[in-house]
Amino acid sequence: MELNHFITGNMKRDMEKMDKLLHISESFDLLKKQTEIGGRKAVFYFINGFCQEDLMQRLEDSLYLVKKSDMNVEPQEFADKYIPYVEVDLYGDEYNVITLLLSGVTCLIIDGFAQAFLIDTRQYPARNVMEPEKYKVLRGSRDGFVETIVYNTALIRRRIRSTNYMCEIVRVGESSRTDIAICYMEDRVDRKLLNRIKQQLSRINIDALPMNQESLAECLYKGHWFNPFPKFRYTERPDTAAAEILEGQVAILVDNSPAAMLLPTTIFDVIEEADDYYFPPVTGTYLRLARAFMALMSFVLIPLFLLYANNPELVPGWLQFAQYNETDYIPIFWQIMLLEISIDGLKLAAINTPSTLNTPLSLIAAIVIGDYAVQTGWFNPHTMLYMAVVAIANFTHENYELAYSIKFLRMIAVVLTQLFNLWGFILGCLVAALAVVANRTIAQTSYIAPLVPFQGREFLERFFRVSIKSNRKE
């Protein structure tokens, strides 16, 4: 069977092929309705739950008025004159007919027409467009992406009313045929990066995207799995996605995922947040610098504490009051490693705990377990304090992957410090620095741009927020 002759115009043959391919008799949610239009046999195929009943009723009422004399036209002319909907596509090949039908579009086949009419009467089940739980801001818009790609593209289009804004759709996955939207500004995007993304998407040979954007990310960026720093930045905020698109980045939306993937991503992009721009420049600059400092401190604090605990002679005079005493406690190194794992255990427990019990159980874990762990000699109060500070510091930035990147490198630095003391601490810092410097974006550019290659003004603006007026395009 040739691809372009799936719909032949022979109603009996076309309906037999559709019924067999769609397993109409076995599938509960795939429905068909036979009717007559203009004296010719016709059949509707649609998915129960996606089709709006009132729209279908109006469509049928309109088509019942078509006369026999009106049928002697080409399919496109028939669609223009007698189908009262804006979104009507005509296809005769198997791939487009089946893909659109399984996406929720109503398929109409009329005897004598060698093309199927794909009428968009669908309405996806979707939750309300509300502020994302993970990406809250003190000021700014309160809407967020949902699992329906059409709604997400509309939220971005609402913010960018420019003819240069482009939103292209491709499909990936032999079985899932997942819709993927590529959003960018035609006059600002890096064409080399855009072409690279399109080529990689066209080369993806996969059955499905079971984990949505994570599956897509692993297909787009293969290798270098050992470097923990995020290669992609995700956001569930349409205002953030629109702002990055206007800056020349590419946003990728995946159907069934409430997040946008922003490309390319550098380490400075990862530590930015929407609140940096919803406050005056001075406040925004402070928030950004504080976040960068907390990220650095969450890495260096624990290895430095271990270094001083193992080498008391290195403790400066002004820090003598905080000197560690390991009497009656398990070794400091094992305290740190146990607490690193325990904190992750508490995070996982909080995620899987019903919201009504989350707060009381968190208080029990923090007060009762922490207090008795110190009293029984498992942990030193200094260790508990520093690990608590690090745990809090991990929540000062919204990127989950960045927090775990710092955590992995911190644990490596702890092990090296335990083995080689001061030289181990220095080596751990060098390993962390190398992990950042050696990383590459999906565009194969520097992960620490604009530091390398150095661009003075752009580098300063990564830390010091400037006003819109001074940053305006001439």
Side-chain angles (χ1 to χ4, degrees):
M1 184 191 307
E2 293 184 14
L3 181 65
N4 293 328
H5 296 86
F6 178 69
I7 303 297
T8 62
N10 186 313
M11 173 56 64
K12 183 179 179 180
R13 188 186 306 169
D14 292 342
M15 194 161 60
E16 287 177 354
K17 288 188 291 186
M18 290 288 289
D19 291 352
K20 181 179 179 181
L21 192 62
L22 297 172
H23 304 283
I24 289 295
S25 59
E26 292 89 7
S27 298
F28 164 75
D29 59 338
L30 283 170
L31 305 177
K32 79 170 184 178
K33 181 179 181 181
Q34 299 184 60
T35 184
E36 189 173 290
I37 299 173
R40 297 187 186 183
K41 292 183 178 180
V43 61
F44 287 98
Y45 288 93
F46 54 93
I47 296 179
N48 188 21
F50 281 170
C51 185
Q52 300 183 62
E53 294 183 3
D54 56 338
L55 293 181
M56 280 293 295
Q57 186 62 51
R58 285 194 296 235
L59 174 62
E60 289 186 74
D61 292 342
S62 176
L63 291 174
Y64 288 154
L65 301 176
V66 178
K67 303 175 182 178
K68 290 184 179 180
S69 58
D70 299 329
M71 303 299 293
N72 298 321
V73 293
E74 294 297 320
Q76 186 62 58
E77 185 178 352
F78 180 85
D80 294 339
K81 286 185 177 181
Y82 304 113
I83 299 181
Y85 285 91
V86 175
E87 296 183 62
V88 181
D89 294 315
L90 277 73
Y91 290 106
D93 63 280
E94 177 184 335
Y95 179 82
N96 283 302
V97 171
I98 299 302
T99 299
L100 289 175
L101 172 59
L102 296 178
S103 298
V105 176
T106 299
C107 177
L108 170 62
I109 301 175
I110 303 176
D111 191 24
F113 289 145
Q115 288 180 301
F117 301 89
L118 284 307
I119 308 165
D120 197 347
T121 59
R122 59 188 165 180
Q123 183 177 27
Y124 283 127
R127 58 187 172 91
N128 293 330
V129 178
M130 56 197 302
E131 184 178 20
E133 183 70 23
K134 180 71 172 64
Y135 299 89
K136 289 184 177 181
V137 292
L138 297 175
R139 291 182 183 174
S141 59
R142 303 294 177 181
D143 55 354
F145 289 134
V146 293
E147 286 74 16
T148 307
I149 194 171
V150 176
Y151 292 173
N152 295 341
T153 55
L155 288 171
I156 297 178
R157 177 68 73 174
R158 181 184 179 188
R159 291 169 165 82
I160 306 178
R161 301 174 182 178
S162 170
T163 56
N164 290 317
Y165 171 64
M166 306 294 292
C167 181
E168 302 181 21
I169 289 288
V170 297
R171 294 189 182 97
V172 172
E174 183 179 347
S175 295
S176 66
R177 301 181 186 181
T178 306
D179 290 326
I180 297 175
I182 308 172
C183 309
Y184 60 93
M185 293 295 292
E186 190 176 26
D187 58 336
R188 306 181 191 182
V189 71
D190 181 351
R191 304 301 303 190
K192 185 177 179 181
L193 169 64
L194 180 63
N195 293 334
R196 181 186 181 91
I197 292 173
K198 289 182 178 180
Q199 289 175 3
Q200 289 180 322
L201 287 173
S202 65
R203 294 172 184 169
I204 293 177
N205 184 17
I206 192 172
D207 184 63
L209 297 178
M211 296 177 291
N212 296 325
Q213 278 160 325
E214 178 57 29
S215 299
L216 181 63
E218 292 175 9
C219 293
L220 289 176
Y221 197 102
K222 297 181 180 180
H224 303 287
W225 57 268
F226 51 84
N227 194 316
F229 282 96
K231 282 74 177 177
F232 304 91
R233 180 187 176 193
Y234 299 95
T235 181
E236 294 184 24
R237 298 189 58 85
D239 53 352
T240 299
E244 297 299 338
I245 291 171
L246 290 171
E247 290 293 329
Q249 288 193 315
V250 177
I252 297 179
L253 302 171
V254 180
D255 197 18
N256 299 311
S257 174
M261 180 190 296
L262 304 176
L263 305 172
T265 298
T266 67
I267 187 64
F268 301 108
D269 293 321
V270 174
I271 63 175
E272 284 188 352
E273 291 185 13
D275 266 331
D276 297 349
Y277 297 93
Y278 279 122
F279 286 96
V282 172
T283 307
T285 298
Y286 170 76
L287 292 175
R288 191 175 297 178
L289 291 174
R291 195 179 304 113
F293 172 76
M294 292 296 288
L296 180 63
M297 187 188 68
S298 65
F299 166 74
V300 75
L301 181 62
I302 298 301
L304 190 61
F305 166 62
L306 177 61
L307 176 67
Y308 285 157
N310 290 339
N311 303 274
E313 67 279 4
L314 297 178
V315 179
W318 58 277
L319 280 179
Q320 290 296 326
F321 69 93
Q323 190 168 352
Y324 172 76
N325 183 4
E326 61 177 343
T327 305
D328 298 330
Y329 295 105
I330 65 174
I332 183 67
F333 172 76
W334 294 110
Q335 290 185 41
I336 292 173
M337 300 305 288
L338 285 173
L339 284 173
E340 288 279 10
I341 298 173
S342 299
I343 288 174
D344 283 330
L346 291 174
K347 288 181 183 179
L348 295 175
I351 292 173
N352 295 306
T353 301
S355 56
T356 54
L357 301 175
N358 210 325
T359 300
L361 289 181
S362 297
L363 292 174
I364 292 173
I367 298 175
V368 178
I369 297 178
D371 183 50
Y372 276 94
V374 173
Q375 291 185 18
T376 55
W378 276 90
F379 300 112
N380 184 281
H382 293 77
T383 313
M384 296 286 288
L385 171 64
Y386 297 139
M387 287 302 303
V389 171
V390 167
I392 294 172
N394 286 335
F395 290 103
T396 58
H397 42 80
E398 64 185 18
N399 193 290
Y400 205 66
E401 291 175 308
L402 178 62
Y404 272 97
S405 302
I406 296 174
K407 179 186 183 71
F408 297 149
L409 293 172
R410 181 174 65 243
M411 294 178 73
I412 292 174
V414 166
V415 172
L416 292 173
T417 302
Q418 176 68 18
L419 294 175
F420 307 110
N421 284 326
L422 179 60
W423 288 110
F425 175 78
I426 296 173
L427 182 59
C429 293
L430 290 177
V431 169
L434 184 62
V436 177
V437 174
N439 203 2
R440 307 290 287 178
T441 69
I442 189 174
Q444 295 303 307
T445 56
S446 174
Y447 193 65
I448 56 174
L451 178 59
V452 176
F454 183 71
Q455 297 172 304
R457 180 177 178 180
E458 288 78 3
F459 177 70
L460 290 176
E461 288 179 357
R462 289 293 187 173
F463 295 97
F464 299 93
R465 231 264 287 159
V466 296
S467 64
I468 293 178
K469 184 181 294 185
S470 63
N471 201 31
R472 184 179 56 206
K473 290 180 66 177
E474 298 297 336

